[in-house]
Amino acid sequence: MAASTSVVPAAVTAPVVPVLSTNGDFSDLREIKKQLLLIAGLTRERGLLHSSKWSAELAFSLPALPLAELQPPPPVTEEDAQDMDAYTLAKAYFDVKEYDRAAHFLHGCNSKKAYFLYMYSRYLSGEKKKDDETVDSLGPLEKGQVKNEALRELRVELSKKHQARELDGFGLYLYGVVLRKLDLVKEAIDVFVEATHVLPLHWGAWLELCNLITDKEMLKFLSLPDTWMKEFFLAHIYTELQLIEEALQKYQNLIDVGFSKSSYIVSQIAVAYHNIRDIDKALSIFNELRKQDPYRIENMDTFSNLLYVRSMKSELSYLAHNLCEIDKYRVETCCVIGNYYSLRSQHEKAALYFQRALKLNPRYLGAWTLMGHEYMEMKNTSAAIQAYRHAIEVNKRDYRAWYGLGQTYEILKMPFYCLYYYRRAHQLRPNDSRMLVALGECYEKLNQLVEAKKCYWRAYAVGDVEKMALVKLAKLHEQLTESEQAAQCYIKYIQDIYSCGEIVEHLEESTAFRYLAQYYFKCKLWDEASTCAQKCCAFNDTREEGKALLRQILQLRNQGETPSTEMPAPFFLPASLSANNTPTRRVSPLNLSSVTP
């Protein structure tokens, strides 16, 4: 995407932060700690609380500084001194969310700090009014055309300042946010890149940039500053782009250089393992994180997703009650409670809590996706479609929403639609077998059998989570009267499920044994046919067929019918195969870290 190549103008105003070396070298952790403490204070002064919290948490994970090395506060300029009274009063109003009042008293201030708070107050006032109007008049699923009315005015004013090179790093950040809200993505990317050059310590600018990057190619064209903050950005964007192996390597490098106590990094690693369905590893890390930081609420909705997948009702109940005691009006808390009710099959209550989460934050991605799942459970497909579409509006990289839309249109028997959505999900998760199997089923319904076969084989090759790809491929070969290929698929399927140690009932074993018994019978391979027919007797749905086939084999043997010496397909049964040892299925978490596309 050549349009996103960003060049920083040479005449940009110097940053408000005192000159500090922010190169990519992690050798001087004391210097990095000084920078983090400094930026935590500067962002706090400007009401950028999430960036301030991120910097403070990261600083806390590093060793304490001696008194002699503590950084002095930034010097106060003449403009700062003139605006001090107005700024102090306005900041007090800002902190209690009286944004219009804060902006009123800051009007006409000249210092960069006061000007930023003035513009930011106006922006947040517009956002608050928009959210209130959305919730009150439309409801969480209505599309509506509610806009932040202040955005266009802010863009005009900030654009003039930008052209005059009068915006510092924080001003550039706010200008980028306004452009993003107006869907001017290319311009927003350029401004955020400029903001990272002017003020590389501000995490908020990096995070906003991260939300606009859609693929790795786009990332390559960005002209980013060579700073240690870039390593945190790359780790985060790799996680978002589902490049989990690269993300985990980055986070491991950050731990190795001295950030091993950072709860942020630990939580990001847990999220990365969640994204590749390595459920055991992710659960283990989240449990450790809870011990280290028991009152943490961030990412606990992701933790609850893992507990939900494992049907750990008591643990999920404990988590929901615990978060309620900490803060019942947090978005993550509402999502955890929603997951708890969903696990108990109380889908109406679950949807209610996801709606509550969206009233607290209408742009919270997880709540939209989870609400779509609940509407699917309640067979309310139109509401599910709306919820998934909202999730995609918030983040086009959310493969779960694309996949959910595909499932919804599949229920509505609209295969061309669901093919489009499954393709989008597959593009985001090329090594996820569930997307490939869904694509294969779609192609099958559209009678594009060659494409379906490719999808099923690819799903098996990348590590089939649900152990269904080979069975579906075998049935497709059956349908095309390709008996040898079908037999080979069933044989491989049997070998795979026998090699697993975890005992889980598998629905397709009997199908595989029945086909192989008939296949070997036609090939006059009596021993193999007899073995498979005996296994058929272990299943209710194939018991009678197995007994009938055994009788036929016995009859032919008694008649002196000679078995064939040719074996069209190799057949190796594990030594553990016996009448009392039924093959088992392992539902293992998907681990793509060792798989190359």
Side-chain angles (χ1 to χ4, degrees):
M1 185 171 176
S4 62
T5 54
S6 303
V7 180
V8 183
V12 181
T13 305
V16 294
V17 184
V19 177
L20 286 169
S21 172
T22 58
N23 58 37
D25 186 8
F26 284 95
S27 59
D28 192 350
L29 288 180
R30 287 189 173 187
E31 193 63 33
I32 288 173
K33 174 138 185 169
K34 290 177 190 176
Q35 295 169 18
L36 286 168
L37 291 172
L38 175 63
I39 197 66
L42 292 170
T43 47
R44 186 169 58 250
E45 287 175 353
R46 288 159 179 79
L48 299 166
L49 301 182
H50 289 288
S51 292
S52 179
K53 185 175 78 166
W54 184 87
S55 304
E57 284 182 346
L58 210 58
F60 181 76
S61 68
L62 297 174
L65 293 172
L67 179 61
E69 292 189 28
L70 287 176
Q71 194 76 18
V76 177
T77 65
E78 184 64 35
E79 288 180 335
D80 287 332
Q82 288 176 358
D83 296 339
M84 185 64 72
D85 290 347
Y87 166 78
T88 304
L89 178 63
K91 184 62 168 64
Y93 292 146
F94 181 94
D95 289 342
V96 292
K97 295 184 170 52
E98 295 183 9
Y99 301 123
D100 288 326
R101 204 174 177 192
H104 172 74
F105 283 96
L106 286 167
H107 184 67
C109 288
N110 296 316
S111 68
K112 284 185 165 51
K113 183 165 68 173
Y115 178 74
F116 174 84
L117 195 64
Y118 168 64
M119 300 298 280
Y120 193 41
S121 297
R122 290 171 61 190
Y123 165 75
L124 288 180
S125 171
E127 285 295 293
K128 187 172 184 295
K129 287 168 186 172
K130 182 195 75 171
D131 291 344
D132 291 346
E133 191 177 339
T134 302
V135 171
D136 293 343
S137 64
L138 298 174
L141 278 178
E142 297 293 331
K143 174 67 179 170
Q145 292 297 321
V146 182
K147 301 287 184 185
N148 181 345
E149 298 297 333
L151 290 176
R152 296 193 183 281
E153 290 180 19
L154 290 171
R155 184 199 170 196
V156 170
E157 293 179 39
L158 287 167
S159 176
K160 289 176 182 175
K161 288 273 188 180
H162 184 235
Q163 288 169 4
R165 305 284 184 262
E166 293 177 4
L167 291 179
D168 62 4
F170 293 112
L172 287 166
Y173 160 75
L174 182 57
Y175 184 34
V177 170
V178 169
L179 291 171
R180 177 180 66 77
K181 286 282 186 178
L182 291 168
D183 294 323
L184 300 169
V185 176
K186 177 193 170 298
E187 293 90 334
I189 289 173
D190 291 342
V191 171
F192 283 131
V193 170
E194 189 179 337
T196 60
H197 279 271
V198 175
L199 186 58
L201 295 174
H202 181 208
W203 177 241
W206 293 100
L207 207 54
E208 287 289 345
L209 185 59
C210 180
N211 292 333
L212 297 176
I213 305 301
T214 53
D215 54 53
K216 198 172 182 179
E217 285 302 309
M218 195 173 173
L219 185 62
K220 287 178 184 175
F221 286 104
L222 295 180
S223 170
L224 297 171
D226 183 20
T227 163
W228 58 266
M229 285 287 285
K230 183 180 175 182
E231 296 303 304
F232 285 91
F233 165 75
L234 289 175
H236 191 93
I237 189 65
Y238 287 154
T239 306
E240 290 291 307
L241 295 176
Q242 306 298 327
L243 302 167
I244 304 302
E245 190 174 354
E246 293 95 325
L248 289 173
Q249 185 60 55
K250 287 283 182 190
Y251 283 126
Q252 188 57 53
N253 292 343
L254 291 170
I255 285 172
D256 292 342
V257 297
F259 290 97
S260 57
K261 293 180 181 178
S262 168
S263 59
Y264 163 76
I265 292 177
V266 173
S267 68
Q268 286 295 105
I269 291 171
V271 169
Y273 280 115
H274 163 269
N275 287 354
I276 55 169
R277 309 283 293 177
D278 193 340
I279 298 173
D280 291 329
K281 187 79 172 173
L283 280 172
S284 171
I285 295 171
F286 269 123
N287 282 320
E288 283 301 313
L289 182 63
R290 292 267 294 160
K291 291 176 186 174
Q292 178 185 333
D293 192 357
Y295 294 96
R296 182 187 180 89
I297 295 181
E298 290 94 339
N299 303 118
M300 288 302 110
D301 50 335
T302 305
F303 183 31
S304 75
N305 292 342
L306 296 164
L307 297 174
Y308 178 93
V309 169
R310 280 294 163 88
S311 300
M312 300 168 77
K313 283 187 182 178
S314 58
E315 289 86 348
L316 187 50
S317 172
Y318 175 77
L319 180 65
H321 281 93
N322 183 239
L323 294 184
C324 258
E325 288 175 4
I326 298 169
D327 188 349
K328 66 164 71 173
Y329 297 112
R330 277 284 289 270
V331 178
E332 295 90 342
T333 303
C334 293
C335 288
V336 171
I337 298 170
N339 271 338
Y340 170 68
Y341 281 120
S342 181
L343 189 56
R344 293 183 61 183
S345 298
Q346 295 177 256
H347 300 297
E348 291 83 1
K349 269 192 174 181
L352 186 68
Y353 272 95
F354 294 135
Q355 286 176 357
R356 188 174 292 181
L358 291 166
K359 284 185 178 181
L360 293 167
N361 182 358
R363 291 189 61 81
Y364 196 74
L365 173 66
W368 283 118
T369 308
L370 292 169
M371 192 158 70
H373 296 342
E374 293 312 305
Y375 283 127
M376 283 279 284
E377 292 288 344
M378 293 188 280
K379 305 293 187 286
N380 187 347
T381 50
S382 62
I385 287 169
Q386 282 183 299
Y388 288 135
R389 288 193 189 285
H390 273 290
I392 289 165
E393 282 177 19
V394 174
N395 186 353
K396 287 183 171 61
R397 294 191 303 256
D398 183 27
Y399 77 93
R400 297 169 304 169
W402 292 108
Y403 185 65
L405 278 170
Q407 287 180 311
T408 311
Y409 282 109
E410 196 171 356
I411 290 169
L412 295 171
K413 301 191 187 313
M414 300 169 74
F416 283 106
Y417 278 81
C418 69
L419 181 63
Y420 169 76
Y421 291 115
Y422 283 144
R423 273 178 178 164
R424 292 298 298 264
H426 170 60
Q427 287 167 3
L428 292 165
R429 299 270 290 189
N431 288 336
D432 193 325
S433 65
R434 294 166 300 167
M435 314 300 148
L436 287 158
V437 168
L439 263 179
E441 289 172 343
C442 242
Y443 281 123
E444 215 173 327
K445 285 171 187 170
L446 295 168
N447 208 33
Q448 297 182 30
L449 302 185
V450 175
E451 294 298 320
K453 282 198 285 188
K454 286 179 186 175
C455 288
Y456 291 143
W457 180 250
R458 175 73 177 153
Y460 170 71
V462 299
D464 186 15
V465 184
E466 295 168 344
K467 303 293 181 191
M468 290 300 294
L470 279 175
V471 174
K472 290 183 180 294
L473 185 58
K475 288 180 178 177
L476 209 52
H477 283 305
E478 263 189 85
Q479 190 179 328
L480 297 168
T481 64
E482 298 168 353
S483 56
E484 188 173 333
Q485 290 95 322
Q488 287 173 341
C489 287
Y490 279 130
I491 289 164
K492 185 62 185 164
Y493 167 72
I494 295 274
Q495 289 170 346
D496 283 356
I497 60 174
Y498 268 78
S499 64
C500 303
E502 195 175 334
I503 299 174
V504 181
E505 183 183 356
H506 204 287
L507 303 175
E508 297 292 344
E509 294 169 45
S510 57
T511 306
F513 279 118
R514 176 170 54 197
Y515 182 85
L516 288 172
Q518 292 168 350
Y519 172 75
Y520 286 122
F521 181 78
K522 287 175 188 173
C523 295
K524 297 185 179 181
L525 297 165
W526 311 134
D527 290 341
E528 288 79 7
S530 178
T531 303
C532 292
Q534 286 172 8
K535 289 307 300 175
C536 286
C537 296
F539 304 96
N540 292 331
D541 57 333
T542 56
R543 185 172 292 128
E544 295 307 317
E545 290 179 67
K547 287 178 181 178
L549 198 60
L550 284 170
R551 285 194 294 270
Q552 286 183 50
I553 294 168
L554 183 60
Q555 187 179 349
L556 288 169
R557 276 177 165 164
N558 289 339
Q559 290 173 0
E561 187 81 32
T562 56
S564 171
T565 55
E566 294 182 8
M567 191 168 183
F571 184 58
F572 306 105
L573 283 174
S576 59
L577 185 62
S578 65
N580 297 323
N581 184 13
T582 306
T584 58
R585 173 199 180 203
R586 178 185 61 160
V587 186
S588 59
L590 180 59
N591 187 346
L592 299 178
S593 58
S594 61
V595 179
T596 53

